Amino acid sequence: MNEPLHIWLIDDDHINNFLTKELINLYCPENIFVEVHYAEAGIQMLQDLIDMKKQVPEIILLDLNMPVNDGWYFIDKFEKLDDSFTQKINLYVYTSSLYFEDINRANSYHSVKKLFSKPLTQENITEIFSRH
């Protein structure tokens, strides 16, 4: 990998974000991480990048269960953003929810590449980075 990847962690759990960054860096070092703790803030940040025609993240790891607006809110808004930018983003849901309904719902969105359960494993990371 020549260039570091821009990875956004949209999750309100600071400890999980720390562990996720450490684990990813074990297998794929030198990435650029941005932590976003609220879905609405993540959408606004993406919209700002799109409006300014700046680089969007290559990977977003999105939690479903967050206060105020959840991951579903983020996905619904994400799918309404400019396709010429969002098609460059690999959006993964990673969650502690293992409800069958959540898995089916995540799979129903064209923008969601895959749902992973927390914590990420080496196999999950390998699968995510195999796309780059």
Side-chain angles (χ1 to χ4, degrees):
M1 186 179 332
N2 297 339
E3 298 282 324
L5 292 175
H6 291 81
I7 302 170
W8 284 17
L9 306 175
I10 303 179
D11 189 343
D12 62 313
D13 185 337
H14 299 279
I15 294 170
N16 186 70
N17 288 338
F18 172 80
L19 294 173
T20 299
K21 288 188 287 189
E22 291 297 309
L23 188 60
I24 288 173
N25 280 332
L26 280 176
Y27 301 105
C28 304
E30 300 184 23
N31 296 291
I32 299 168
F33 290 96
V34 172
E35 282 187 50
V36 183
H37 301 120
Y38 299 98
E40 189 168 3
I43 284 296
Q44 188 58 58
M45 289 170 63
L46 270 179
Q47 186 62 62
D48 291 346
L49 290 176
I50 291 169
D51 291 346
M52 294 184 292
K53 300 192 182 338
K54 301 251 181 171
Q55 179 181 355
V56 294
E58 288 93 359
I59 297 170
I60 294 178
L61 298 174
L62 173 69
D63 185 29
L64 292 179
N65 301 311
M66 291 180 280
V68 185
N69 299 111
D70 60 15
W72 302 121
Y73 169 91
F74 180 90
I75 298 168
D76 288 335
K77 298 292 184 187
F78 181 88
E79 292 206 337
K80 294 176 183 169
L81 296 174
D82 185 341
D83 279 347
S84 64
F85 287 89
T86 58
Q87 69 184 358
K88 300 172 188 173
I89 300 170
N90 289 298
L91 175 62
Y92 297 95
V93 172
Y94 80 132
T95 182
S96 55
S97 172
L98 295 178
Y99 292 117
F100 183 72
E101 295 83 10
D102 286 344
I103 295 167
N104 282 342
R105 185 172 177 189
N107 289 332
S108 74
Y109 288 97
H110 77 275
S111 59
V112 175
K113 302 295 184 206
K114 190 163 183 176
L115 181 142
F116 296 107
S117 59
K118 290 181 182 178
L120 290 179
T121 65
Q122 179 182 357
E123 293 79 24
N124 299 149
I125 293 168
T126 300
E127 184 174 344
I128 290 168
F129 281 86
S130 70
R131 298 178 186 262
H132 297 282

